[in-house]
Amino acid sequence: MIPCYGISSPLGEIVLRAEDDLLTGWFFVGQKNFPTLSVVAAHQRVPAVIRQTSEQLAEIFAGDRRVFMAPFYLRGTAFQRLVWQELSAIPYGTIASYGAIAQRIGLAGGAARAIGSANAKNPISIIVPCHRVISSTGDLTGYAGGIERKQALLAMERRGYPNVTSHEQNKVDSHERH
């Protein structure tokens, strides 16, 4: 089993996994698709990439960082990696629909479910920003860490973009009022 390291965040406990000085996993404890992980004792030596990731995540949650820079590796199918690459192109503070992601990678409009399935298997959420993907109607759907966390992440990012007024962003706002 690959050793993992627990850290605290404003959105709950997170487990980070590293292999060969690369981040390979970032999971909220208890999220959907949460793999069986072996969290090491706090006193054990922590790899540099885990320290770097922890520092950068703290900066992201504090609003002091928008781009994650620690080295990572995405393990998945060719299709999943293609989707994750497209997710990584969604700018901080913006959103895209599952259907729009499908179109960007050359799939038919009905492929939104396939995009959602790849999103659900994203091994390093927030860093590969699957939380920025919403339904075509603007509804918040399908986040392995939970809709409340997705809503909080979008609100956190949007604070730096107070003039966003798109239809989809208005739907995100309506979720925050409920």
Side-chain angles (χ1 to χ4, degrees):
M1 195 169 295
I2 301 164
C4 299
Y5 305 84
I7 63 170
S8 295
S9 85
L11 298 179
E13 293 299 308
I14 295 171
V15 175
L16 302 174
R17 179 182 63 209
E19 301 171 59
D20 300 324
D21 296 321
L22 298 170
L23 183 70
T24 60
W26 186 113
F27 309 97
F28 284 111
V29 171
Q31 78 176 45
K32 292 178 187 174
N33 301 312
F34 188 74
T36 302
L37 303 170
S38 173
V39 178
V40 301
H43 67 278
Q44 291 193 356
R45 184 184 164 281
V46 177
V49 71
I50 297 295
R51 287 193 309 273
Q52 185 179 15
T53 300
S54 297
E55 291 166 4
Q56 289 184 17
L57 285 173
E59 292 168 354
I60 286 170
F61 285 122
D64 297 331
R65 173 180 289 276
R66 293 184 179 185
V67 178
F68 180 78
M69 300 298 291
F72 61 88
Y73 175 75
L74 295 169
R75 185 175 291 118
T77 66
F79 176 74
Q80 289 169 335
R81 289 192 313 270
L82 178 63
V83 170
W84 299 335
Q85 180 179 0
E86 191 60 40
L87 297 180
S88 295
I90 303 171
Y92 183 95
T94 63
I95 52 179
S97 72
Y98 294 95
I101 299 296
Q103 288 178 343
R104 288 180 196 165
I105 61 175
L107 299 176
R113 282 205 166 164
I115 301 302
S117 178
N119 266 9
K121 300 286 196 265
N122 175 6
I124 53 174
S125 64
I126 295 183
I127 296 161
V128 172
C130 54
H131 63 280
R132 295 180 188 151
V133 183
I134 62 172
S135 76
S136 61
T137 61
D139 292 328
L140 301 184
T141 59
Y143 187 63
I147 296 299
E148 298 80 17
R149 285 184 178 128
K150 182 173 191 166
Q151 180 179 334
L153 290 165
L154 291 171
M156 174 189 76
E157 290 185 8
R158 199 175 56 259
R159 280 194 286 272
Y161 294 90
N163 297 321
V164 173
T165 59
S166 72
H167 167 73
E168 292 86 0
Q169 198 65 61
N170 290 334
K171 291 285 273 189
V172 171
D173 292 340
S174 74
H175 282 278
E176 291 177 5
R177 289 190 289 271
H178 295 336

